Amino acid sequence: MKVVSQPDEMKNLSRTLQRSGASIGLVPTMGALHDGHLSLLKRAQKLCDTSVISIFVNPAQFGPGEDLAQYPRPFEKDCELAEKNGCDIVFAPQPADMYPSSYQTLVEVEALGGKLCGRSRPTHFRGVATVVLKLFNIVMPQAAVFGQKDAQQAIILKRMVRDLNLSVRMEIAPTVRESDGLAMSSRNAYLTERERFEVPHIYQGLQYAGELYDKGEHNVARLRTAVMDLYNAAQTFTVEYFEMVDTERLEPVEAIDATTLIAGAFCTESSHTRLIDNIIVGGAI
Amino acid sequence: MKVVSQPDEMKNLSRTLQRSGASIGLVPTMGALHDGHLSLLKRAQKLCDTSVISIFVNPAQFGPGEDLAQYPRPFEKDCELAEKNGCDIVFAPQPADMYPSSYQTLVEVEALGGKLCGRSRPTHFRGVATVVLKLFNIVMPQAAVFGQKDAQQAIILKRMVRDLNLSVRMEIAPTVRESDGLAMSSRNAYLTERERFEVPHIYQGLQYAGELYDKGEHNVARLRTAVMDLYNAAQTFTVEYFEMVDTERLEPVEAIDATTLIAGAFCTESSHTRLIDNIIVGGAI
């Protein structure tokens, strides 16, 4: 497995691979790899000849007061995990090489970026879109794999790819969960023991919504009330938002009669960890 | 010569060309082709195997009240000119194919986009950066040629290419002028006879600044006063701005001791035509 840190070196490597006829599958990550990331890697390996995991804790997608400094960076362990799982290239650039001091170009997916998580993180998706476009231009992948756990991110990036006429095939892979249902996230490491015990309720609430939907309850107000009763009983976390939206515009729906994203963001009381999770009913993204 | 209007058809054509080993040189234009555009085509032909002129009056770079509707669109004449000058492909998409109703991704080169022309046209360069990035992703050129007449545009697009890790070689070709010095522009067609008679003073002022500079006058305040005396005497146009700025950040300089852009924007009184022109002293962009 190759580890590359310079963008230009990665670009040359990708160009050489393309010339040899090898397709490239990219898994963009911020490191602290877990089984969720590894499932994305597996998908990339299935789709393409060469697999690249990028590891970059992207400053542009953190707002003031967020956990940029604190975000885990177990780089050596990540490389071991990547190699053990058959990854061909780890691309791990330095912030100063991605954003030199004169840097000033930003990519914004306007309406979608302001919905759901965008309300509390107004510059987050601009940072995500910008860095992913840069990674696409550096790694030049034929396919890129993202997790459904970050559903809004996936929808925004697919919109960006269409809007900017990019040629990257966008693959969205299912959320990987702990045995108790908690969606895998590098941020789970922040949780206190007490919080960790209760946060599986997040997915239980989503599952409950899914069950009620399967049983024929398509009215969003009623679905929402049923789940919020459960969430409001939580001792260790509060609900930032819990919404049911269409998957094209992320606009709230009143009844579920097409593909619908049921998504929430939650904040734990003690460690102030922000967790997100979602399910999609009536279709897929 | 091929004329292509569908972005996906252009993309496929470019992909086929690349696979055959042919390099592509792109000249992005809004049509109404004149000798300035044709000089860019010539440069693209020198640099690359295949030349593409894109013709697209880009709504995203016009502000409210600007000349979007009025902008000349002599499409057949443009195609004849392109063909006569050995152009291989004209790519002329429709606005609805470039910006479908769900379109919402914008590219902004932040600080540079607000300087000079950006002060009176606050969304102009965002529109330019966005469409040029789209054209790059559709046409996939190895090189793209822009005119120095739109110096701020050239500097912003070069910044975008570096910031977004694009692989397009950016070529800036000299301004082509009418015999009396007026910079060629599709907008010159708007001028009244009286305006047309006087607007060559714009370039005369720039030349005067250049002569004074060559004779050793590097003080910007004095250079500016000398030229403004000339411009202020004009009967048919007023000065929107006349500035001397560095070519990296477009910040005003006090003395010319490095590559400096001497640039102005002018508005004619009767036809309300906005004209821009510039020279660069002490180096090149």
Side-chain angles (χ1 to χ4, degrees):
Chain A
M1 188 185 74
K2 260 202 165 92
V3 178
V4 179
S5 67
Q6 283 301 318
D8 281 343
E9 192 192 338
M10 182 67 233
K11 228 170 163 172
N12 287 333
L13 185 54
S14 288
R15 222 177 263 127
T16 308
L17 284 164
Q18 312 270 23
R19 279 207 198 100
S20 77
S23 61
I24 298 172
L26 172 65
V27 179
T29 83
M30 300 210 299
L33 302 182
H34 51 62
D35 285 350
H37 298 113
L38 298 175
S39 78
L40 308 182
L41 172 63
K42 199 167 281 177
R43 180 79 81 102
Q45 289 165 329
K46 247 188 201 149
L47 288 167
C48 296
D49 304 313
T50 309
S51 58
V52 180
I53 292 182
S54 65
I55 296 180
F56 181 59
V57 183
N58 173 34
Q61 71 191 68
F62 288 81
E66 290 185 0
D67 56 340
L68 172 62
Q70 180 194 357
Y71 200 88
R73 291 165 171 84
F75 185 62
E76 280 179 33
K77 201 184 145 225
D78 283 347
C79 287
E80 274 169 38
L81 262 175
E83 180 151 35
K84 220 178 83 184
N85 285 275
C87 177
D88 297 305
I89 301 167
V90 164
F91 173 52
Q94 291 302 309
D97 292 324
M98 290 292 272
Y99 302 113
S101 61
S102 51
Y103 190 93
Q104 57 183 283
T105 303
L106 295 171
V107 181
E108 190 131 21
V109 181
E110 291 222 303
L112 290 174
K115 311 282 182 192
L116 305 178
C117 291
R119 285 201 300 270
S120 65
R121 310 185 75 189
T123 61
H124 173 66
F125 291 108
R126 186 176 75 186
V128 170
T130 301
V131 83
V132 169
L133 183 60
K134 283 171 65 66
L135 289 169
F136 283 0
N137 289 333
I138 294 167
V139 178
M140 298 179 258
Q142 275 62 51
V145 191
F146 297 87
Q148 189 200 305
K149 201 207 117 212
D150 301 302
Q152 184 176 10
Q153 168 179 285
I155 288 166
I156 286 173
L157 293 175
K158 285 178 89 160
R159 179 81 259 159
M160 176 184 82
V161 163
R162 268 177 291 169
D163 282 355
L164 295 181
N165 308 90
L166 293 163
S167 301
V168 182
R169 172 173 168 180
M170 297 292 280
E171 287 282 313
I172 314 304
T175 304
V176 176
R177 301 180 179 281
E178 304 287 353
S179 56
D180 57 9
L182 176 65
M184 289 206 181
S185 164
S186 309
R187 289 189 169 101
N188 292 348
Y190 299 156
L191 297 169
T192 66
E193 208 176 323
R194 221 176 129 245
E195 290 168 350
R196 178 63 191 82
F197 182 76
E198 201 182 38
V199 291
H201 288 189
I202 292 171
Y203 183 52
Q204 283 160 25
L206 294 170
Q207 278 182 303
Y208 185 44
E211 281 161 28
L212 292 175
Y213 168 79
D214 287 340
K215 282 182 193 151
E217 179 59 273
H218 291 196
N219 177 286
V220 164
R222 282 195 296 268
L223 284 168
R224 207 177 172 283
T225 304
V227 179
M228 283 301 290
D229 281 349
L230 205 151
Y231 287 155
N232 285 332
Q235 304 286 310
T236 63
F237 66 84
T238 55
V239 178
E240 182 188 301
Y241 70 80
F242 175 65
E243 284 193 47
M244 304 184 206
V245 298
D246 75 85
T247 55
E248 280 297 317
R249 302 187 304 137
L250 300 177
E251 293 280 5
V253 293
E254 285 183 18
I256 301 183
D257 47 20
T259 309
T260 300
L261 172 68
I262 307 181
F266 308 85
C267 198
T268 66
E269 296 269 309
S270 169
S271 69
H272 304 291
T273 305
R274 192 174 178 281
L275 300 175
I276 56 173
D277 202 354
N278 69 81
I279 60 169
I280 292 163
V281 296
I285 54 168
Chain B
M1 188 185 75
K2 259 201 167 90
V3 178
V4 179
S5 68
Q6 283 301 317
D8 281 342
E9 192 191 338
M10 183 66 233
K11 228 171 165 173
N12 287 333
L13 185 55
S14 288
R15 222 177 262 129
T16 308
L17 284 163
Q18 311 270 21
R19 280 208 197 102
S20 77
S23 62
I24 298 171
L26 172 66
V27 179
T29 82
M30 299 210 299
L33 301 182
H34 51 63
D35 285 351
H37 298 113
L38 298 175
S39 79
L40 308 182
L41 173 63
K42 198 168 278 176
R43 179 81 79 102
Q45 290 165 328
K46 246 188 201 150
L47 288 168
C48 296
D49 304 312
T50 308
S51 58
V52 180
I53 292 182
S54 64
I55 296 181
F56 181 60
V57 182
N58 174 33
Q61 72 190 68
F62 288 80
E66 289 185 3
D67 57 341
L68 173 61
Q70 182 193 359
Y71 201 89
R73 291 164 170 87
F75 185 61
E76 281 180 32
K77 201 183 143 222
D78 284 347
C79 286
E80 274 169 37
L81 263 175
E83 180 150 36
K84 219 178 83 182
N85 285 272
C87 176
D88 298 304
I89 301 166
V90 164
F91 173 52
Q94 291 302 309
D97 292 324
M98 290 293 271
Y99 303 112
S101 62
S102 51
Y103 190 94
Q104 56 182 287
T105 303
L106 296 170
V107 181
E108 188 131 22
V109 181
E110 292 222 302
L112 290 173
K115 312 282 182 193
L116 304 178
C117 291
R119 285 200 300 271
S120 66
R121 310 186 76 190
T123 61
H124 173 66
F125 291 109
R126 186 177 75 185
V128 171
T130 302
V131 83
V132 169
L133 183 60
K134 282 171 66 66
L135 290 169
F136 283 0
N137 289 333
I138 295 166
V139 179
M140 298 180 259
Q142 275 61 53
V145 191
F146 298 86
Q148 188 199 306
K149 200 208 117 209
D150 300 303
Q152 183 176 11
Q153 168 178 286
I155 288 167
I156 285 174
L157 293 175
K158 286 178 88 158
R159 179 82 260 158
M160 176 184 82
V161 164
R162 268 177 290 169
D163 282 355
L164 295 182
N165 308 90
L166 294 163
S167 300
V168 182
R169 173 173 168 180
M170 298 291 281
E171 287 282 313
I172 314 303
T175 304
V176 176
R177 300 180 180 282
E178 305 288 353
S179 57
D180 57 9
L182 177 65
M184 290 205 182
S185 163
S186 309
R187 289 190 170 100
N188 292 348
Y190 301 155
L191 297 169
T192 67
E193 208 176 324
R194 220 175 131 246
E195 289 169 350
R196 179 63 191 83
F197 182 76
E198 201 181 38
V199 291
H201 288 189
I202 291 170
Y203 183 51
Q204 282 161 27
L206 294 170
Q207 279 183 303
Y208 185 44
E211 280 161 27
L212 293 174
Y213 167 80
D214 286 341
K215 281 182 193 151
E217 180 58 270
H218 291 196
N219 178 286
V220 164
R222 282 195 296 268
L223 284 168
R224 206 176 174 284
T225 304
V227 179
M228 283 302 288
D229 281 350
L230 205 150
Y231 287 155
N232 286 332
Q235 305 285 309
T236 63
F237 66 84
T238 55
V239 178
E240 181 188 302
Y241 69 79
F242 176 64
E243 283 193 50
M244 304 184 205
V245 297
D246 75 83
T247 54
E248 282 296 318
R249 300 187 305 137
L250 301 177
E251 292 280 4
V253 294
E254 285 182 18
I256 300 182
D257 47 19
T259 309
T260 299
L261 172 68
I262 306 181
F266 308 85
C267 197
T268 66
E269 298 268 309
S270 169
S271 69
H272 305 290
T273 305
R274 192 174 177 279
L275 299 175
I276 56 173
D277 202 354
N278 70 80
I279 61 169
I280 291 163
V281 296
I285 53 169

